[in-house]
Amino acid sequence: MKHKVAVATGIAAVTVAGSIALTMPQGNAATTPAAPAGAAAADPVPTAVATSRATSSAASLVAKKPKLFFRSGHDKLVKRQVVSQNGLQYVAYERTYRGLPVQGGDAVVVTDTSGAVVGNYVAQDQALSIGTSPKISAAAAAKVARKQLIKVRSAGKPTLKVVAQGAGVLAYEVVVGGIKRTAQGPAPSNLHVFVDATTGKVLPDLTRDDVLDATGKGAYYGNVTINTTSSGGRFTMSDPTRPGLQCGGQNGAAFTSTTDTWGTGTATDQVTGCVDAMYVVSQEWNMLRDWLGRDGIDGNGRAFPVRQGLDDVNAFWNGSRVEIGHSSDNRRLLNSIDVLGHEFGHAINQFTPGGSSGGNEAGGMNESTGDIFGALTEFYARNPNDPGDYTVGELANLTGDGPIRNMADPSKLGDPNCFSSSIPSTEVHAAAGPQNHWFYLLAEGSRPTDGQPSSPTCNNSTVTGIGIEKAGKIYMATLMRKTSGWTHVKARAASVAAAAQLFGNGTECATVKAAWNAVSVPASAGEPACTGGGTPTPTPSGTPTPTPTQSPSGDCQAGFSSHDSGAVAAGQTVVTDTFSAGSGRHSACLTGPAAADFDLYLDKSVGGRWTTVARSTGETSREAIAYTGTTGSYRYRIVSYAGSGNAVLGWNAP
């Protein structure tokens, strides 16, 4: 049934009929961190002033500390954007090398409102040194890329790039659109393929798809208020208060009408689906503003369109819009809060520093990001037809199996609760499990008292939650520290720093660490202790450097049980053999020619990939590391930042 409403001039506040409920009804950004209890509130700093200070401070850091960003003489770091959220400014950079864009060369500098730098995050971990002349043609790379899909509908022009792996890999990026093969059958794809410009082989860890899938059905919200636009006696389903947000059919145009009354209440009606969609996205927008201090979906005051009528049992984000399909019985559209909140969560992930990364581990964290923003939006909206919870697609019944994921206990739906070495090879929706579980423990704890379910922990610990709004603030600040090649270990380091800067190094910070411990994600060197009071700390950094021990005598020979030596060329990386170590203290000493600048890294195998856990990156070739770690496989890595010559390494392992 349609409902007549009063029409406002220009922007219409419209009461509309949403879809029929299929279940019985249940029912501007902050500019400074929260002050400690008892402290006087400081005068807010205007965003424009804070942004200007942040820009100047970050530019000065990049110019004066090139080694902090692993800049070679051929690099340029170009500021992409500055985003202000909750009293912190995030200055995002992209890199070029000899004029070519660098994939994985991004960086973020974090400042407070005074412009003081409180952290920096760099995707790569050594300076680039590589030639830029390809051995295969762009046409050959395009041919390889096209073979990655079973049907190609479009192929972009290959772009020559430098991939920041080791000293660099020259590669073409080719974007191909069409149909991919999945275990569930053919599916739409907008695939970014990286082809090695020397060998012609695909670099699989970098391959990523803009089309990110989720499943569910429409949740139905009855009479709600949305914003539309009026002009010349016609009304358009386009929200002028949230630029970019519009809804229509598959032709890409927003729905229009001669009246400002929308929707029939029929669950398969596309206009009614748009009513639900416009309502949900407006709630997510408001949640980002009111709870997380973010300006719009992209962080710069913009949203993205929604298209109804996808002929598929699916909904997805394709890199520039959300597509909405239908349930398997074709009786309803998929416009619930968790589905749309999830899809626009992918957009948020894409439009934070580092963007979306390839690989199943980063892909799983992207899926988890969608689930987290879906849950945040549900709790914020407080809609009685869809109360806040931590299951995904709980109103859906595509195959009669209920929810598709459970954040409180992922294992109940067959997904892993705990991080392990298998996660990087786990299907991305299942790989969302560990971070989903972490967020639930952070927000609700292992034994909630507010009606939410108990949650098991991987280390048999008990975690007390801090509430979903605080958890959301910390997660949003974590994403603002994201760089390409995102991993659970990097997310842990960023989230602990975020909690310390937002809330001090007390309860919230300690709970972040406890929740990561409870899902088996290990700590990196340099984490805040989280044992202090409530005053935010200005010092955490995304690339912590351990305090060197006193350098041993005898050119790193005396006092060390293991040794290695050899020539290191300018710009070269050399590694030791892998060795096993128990829990305890590692120590190492490196020495090289007086005129050279060598850096020393200690890597640990985490989740099937090497992760840097300690580093010493001074201005000379004399470096030392002291690190306390857990049982596992390790290696040392020596990188020549400048100069060449013979290096001597000595180390002790627990």
Side-chain angles (χ1 to χ4, degrees), residues 590-599 618-623 642 646-648:
L590 172 70
T591 187
D597 183 353
F598 292 169
D599 296 330
E619 303 290 333
T620 71
S621 63
R622 186 88 176 181
E623 306 289 353
N646 196 60
V648 176

Side-chain angles (χ1 to χ4, degrees), residues 138-402:
K143 186 176 180 180
V144 171
R146 294 174 70 93
K147 291 180 179 179
Q148 308 310 305
L149 297 180
I150 58 176
K151 183 175 182 180
V152 176
R153 292 175 176 158
S154 64
K157 182 179 179 181
T159 302
L160 191 62
K161 292 186 172 184
V162 172
V163 176
Q165 292 181 349
V169 177
L170 194 64
Y172 291 99
E173 181 184 14
V174 189
V175 182
V176 286
I179 303 297
K180 64 184 175 184
R181 181 180 287 107
T182 72
Q184 293 74 37
S189 177
N190 196 50
L191 199 65
H192 293 248
V193 182
F194 286 81
V195 180
D196 191 310
T198 299
T199 66
K201 295 182 178 179
V202 172
L203 302 174
D205 286 349
L206 295 179
T207 298
R208 66 177 177 85
D209 201 333
D210 287 331
V211 178
L212 298 164
D213 304 328
T215 54
K217 74 175 183 185
Y220 303 97
Y221 305 108
N223 292 337
V224 294
T225 298
I226 63 173
N227 290 334
T228 62
T229 302
S230 66
S231 177
R234 292 194 68 84
F235 301 89
T236 303
M237 197 169 275
S238 177
D239 188 339
T241 68
R242 299 174 179 88
L245 176 56
Q246 67 174 49
C247 191
Q250 287 294 292
N251 65 2
F255 286 136
T256 61
S257 175
T258 56
T259 68
D260 214 8
T261 301
W262 303 89
T264 64
T266 303
T268 56
D269 175 57
Q270 291 185 20
V271 176
T272 299
C274 275
V275 169
D276 288 334
M278 297 289 282
Y279 163 73
V280 169
V281 182
S282 69
Q283 291 295 309
E284 188 161 16
W285 176 291
N286 293 349
M287 180 275 296
L288 291 168
R289 177 195 65 205
D290 298 341
W291 279 9
L292 310 187
R294 184 173 176 84
D295 184 14
I297 304 296
D298 73 345
N300 283 295
R302 293 195 63 82
F304 301 92
V306 180
R307 292 188 187 182
Q308 306 289 329
L310 174 70
D311 188 18
D312 196 2
V313 183
N314 203 0
F316 61 78
W317 162 254
N318 81 342
S320 59
R321 66 177 182 271
V322 169
E323 294 268 4
I324 297 294
H326 55 80
S327 60
S328 60
D329 58 10
N330 213 10
R331 293 183 178 180
R332 52 205 168 269
L333 304 178
L334 312 181
N335 291 290
S336 70
I337 289 178
D338 20 29
V339 170
L340 275 160
H342 174 103
E343 299 308 338
F344 276 93
H346 288 317
I348 293 167
N349 187 77
Q350 181 175 323
F351 285 88
T352 46
S356 299
S357 298
N360 282 21
E361 183 174 1
M365 298 175 79
N366 195 348
E367 292 299 331
S368 168
T369 295
D371 293 347
I372 289 169
F373 281 104
L376 283 163
T377 305
E378 272 191 356
F379 277 91
Y380 176 88
R382 297 174 183 257
N383 191 291
N385 290 357
D386 195 5
D389 55 47
Y390 296 89
T391 53
V392 181
E394 70 278 357
L395 296 181
N397 193 22
L398 267 69
T399 61
D401 294 329

Side-chain angles (χ1 to χ4, degrees), residues 17-35:
S19 307
I20 299 171
L22 300 183
T23 58
M24 293 297 293
Q26 311 285 326
N28 285 354
T31 56
T32 56

